[in-house]
Amino acid sequence: MSEENITRIHLDGKEYILIGTAHVSKHSAEQVKEVIEAEQPDSVCVELDEQRYQSITEGSKWKEMDIIQVIKEKKASLLLMNLAISSFQNRMADQFGIKAGQEMIQGVESAKETGANLVLADRNIQITFARIWGNLGLKGKSLLLSQVIASIFSKDTITEEELEKMKNQDTINAILNEFTDSFPRLKKPLIDERDQYLAQKIKDAPGEKIVAVLGAAHVPGIKEEIKKEQDMVKLTERPPKSNVPKIIGWSIPVFILAIIAYTFFANPSAGLAQTISWIIWNGSLSALGAAIAMGHPLTILTAFVAAPITSLNPLLAAGWFAGLTQAYMRRPNVRDFETLTEDVFSVKGFWRNKVSRILLIVVLSNLGSSLGTFIGGADVIRVFIENL
């Protein structure tokens, strides 16, 4: 049996066999099968959390999704990001004829075949994303969102050199690699903390012989971290939500309303001009977002009407109303859900599929409304200053 990419650690009477895999390599899956069959371990640890394990074993659950519930629960942007990642994976699979994560699937299957305990060793992906998000400022969040959404529309092919780099990363790392270079703070939640979490889960796995199937990038860190006791409670905490966005969210509409009210009192015609400007900028840009997403005419109208009102209430968003209207007017059918992961492979498919189009309407309408708030708010202040 080849010892290439295999690290053996003996600690406290237990043997840990770390297989450093390439997430986009067929050879890695074959090696995982070979090692587990030869070693007959007590436990097999795989770099998956419960959510990713279910998606592998149960397949895509897009068909069960209630798009209206997604909008009401404010998860449209998150779902759009997940679809963007899916689009990236599909493009990679199509170009190289490979399936990302095949070695993890093999680890799960081999554990069952040999009767070993299966340990899902990775941290919940939502917690990882939450801790990444918490490490970013407003500029960083904007750049991350724009980079992820841009990946949907990218027609660039992946070079052989980039593929080789990806063989030493997991899928999340590969997608965020360039962004991590620009924002070094992301390395801690994305790599270092997961090394610590994975190390502790491997260390706590039952039995005396443990095989761990890991992305090669995690092996050096785990070799060091497995010697220590990790604080799992701290590693799984979601970062506390700052009150600053909430304060800003309420301060802007209160400030805008106060200026318009004062202007109306001092000069009714100027106050009317401010109100019209606020409605036109908010409504038009939000409606433009819905139109770009090719929304139903009633959806575009809803965005126009809702935006000037929802911009004054941080608990509401124009995109939600526009998305719900689109969902009622152009309700997705079974085929839309069945072909969703294939349709997001192309820009045309993103607009053609009724599900992804609804998500685009929510996001673009909200984006238009946000721009309208800043531009319309600036115009309200301009009129106020001119009439002092």
Side-chain angles (χ1 to χ4, degrees):
M1 182 177 65
S2 171
E3 290 290 310
E4 183 187 3
N5 303 323
I6 294 176
T7 301
R8 294 179 183 269
I9 301 171
H10 293 87
L11 186 67
D12 299 331
K14 296 175 75 169
E15 181 182 13
Y16 302 97
I17 303 165
L18 312 182
I19 309 175
T21 69
H23 289 289
V24 289
S25 166
K26 292 177 183 176
H27 170 70
S28 283
E30 293 167 0
Q31 186 179 37
V32 167
K33 180 179 174 66
E34 180 185 344
V35 170
I36 293 174
E37 288 179 353
E39 296 290 344
Q40 293 291 306
D42 300 304
S43 294
V44 173
C45 301
V46 291
E47 189 190 318
L48 293 172
D49 64 343
E50 185 66 36
Q51 184 178 332
R52 282 178 285 165
Y53 170 74
Q54 287 180 357
S55 70
I56 284 175
T57 56
E58 300 174 17
S60 176
K61 287 193 171 185
W62 300 117
K63 298 175 193 177
E64 301 173 20
M65 180 174 60
D66 182 346
I67 189 65
I68 293 176
Q69 197 64 30
V70 167
I71 297 170
K72 288 180 178 178
E73 292 178 2
K74 308 174 187 178
K75 294 180 178 178
S77 297
L78 178 62
L79 182 55
L80 193 63
M81 287 182 70
N82 285 337
L83 286 172
I85 292 172
S86 174
S87 175
F88 175 90
Q89 291 173 328
N90 285 345
R91 192 164 64 250
M92 184 173 65
D94 182 70
Q95 186 179 343
F96 292 101
I98 52 180
K99 183 177 181 181
Q102 187 63 48
E103 81 291 359
M104 296 299 161
I105 297 171
Q106 185 61 60
V108 171
E109 292 175 352
S110 293
K112 292 177 181 176
E113 290 169 3
T114 58
N117 294 298
L118 178 66
V119 178
L120 304 179
D122 203 0
R123 183 171 64 184
N124 180 285
I125 192 171
Q126 301 300 336
I127 291 174
T128 295
F129 275 136
R131 292 177 73 88
I132 288 171
W133 199 247
N135 268 273
L136 296 172
L138 182 61
K139 178 185 175 184
K141 289 175 180 177
S142 301
L143 285 172
L144 176 58
L145 279 172
S146 62
Q147 183 164 318
V148 171
I149 298 303
S151 72
I152 298 172
F153 310 117
S154 174
K155 292 185 178 181
D156 295 340
T157 56
I158 301 162
T159 66
E160 292 289 345
E161 183 182 357
E162 288 170 331
L163 180 65
E164 287 304 313
K165 287 181 182 178
M166 289 171 64
K167 286 183 179 181
N168 292 317
Q169 304 173 38
D170 59 36
T171 306
I172 301 171
N173 295 0
I175 293 169
L176 298 178
N177 183 43
E178 291 182 16
F179 194 80
T180 308
D181 292 339
S182 304
F183 292 85
R185 285 182 298 170
L186 289 194
K187 183 178 180 293
K188 184 169 184 276
L190 190 62
I191 306 293
D192 299 344
E193 288 181 358
R194 286 173 63 217
D195 285 350
Q196 294 165 6
Y197 187 94
L198 286 161
Q200 191 65 44
K201 292 287 282 189
I202 294 167
K203 191 175 181 178
D204 293 342
E208 295 180 357
K209 181 183 283 190
I210 316 297
V211 168
V213 184
L214 305 157
H218 288 292
V219 173
I222 289 172
K223 281 171 61 179
E224 297 303 315
E225 298 297 344
I226 203 167
K227 301 171 188 174
K228 311 168 190 174
E229 282 297 318
Q230 308 296 336
D231 187 343
M232 298 296 271
V233 173
K234 186 177 180 181
L235 286 171
T236 52
E237 283 178 348
R238 290 180 179 268
K241 289 187 176 180
S242 170
N243 288 323
V244 174
K246 189 182 293 185
I247 293 170
I248 294 174
W250 282 108
S251 298
I252 292 175
V254 168
F255 179 66
I256 293 296
L257 286 172
I259 287 179
I260 293 175
Y262 181 85
T263 307
F264 255 115
F265 178 77
N267 186 342
S269 61
L272 180 61
Q274 286 176 323
T275 304
I276 292 172
S277 176
W278 177 260
I279 292 171
I280 294 298
W281 279 114
N282 267 273
S284 297
L285 290 177
S286 184
L288 178 62
I292 291 172
M294 295 179 66
H296 185 276
L298 193 57
T299 299
I300 297 170
L301 179 61
T302 299
F304 181 86
V305 173
I309 301 168
T310 58
S311 294
L312 296 172
N313 188 335
L315 300 178
L316 301 174
W320 305 345
F321 292 96
L324 288 172
T325 302
Q326 181 71 19
Y328 283 115
M329 300 305 297
R330 293 280 188 269
R331 201 173 191 90
N333 54 37
V334 174
R335 183 191 171 283
D336 289 306
F337 289 101
E338 288 179 340
T339 62
L340 183 57
T341 52
E342 295 174 16
D343 286 340
V344 298
F345 183 53
S346 67
V347 177
K348 183 179 179 181
F350 235 98
W351 260 260
R352 182 180 62 232
N353 188 288
K354 292 177 183 176
V355 178
S356 48
R357 188 188 297 181
I358 289 169
L359 298 175
L360 284 169
I361 285 169
V362 174
V363 172
L364 294 179
S365 296
N366 281 340
L367 179 61
S369 180
S370 297
L371 288 173
T373 298
F374 285 106
I375 298 173
D379 199 48
V380 166
I381 294 170
R382 177 189 63 78
V383 174
F384 170 74
I385 292 172
E386 288 178 355
N387 284 272
L388 277 177

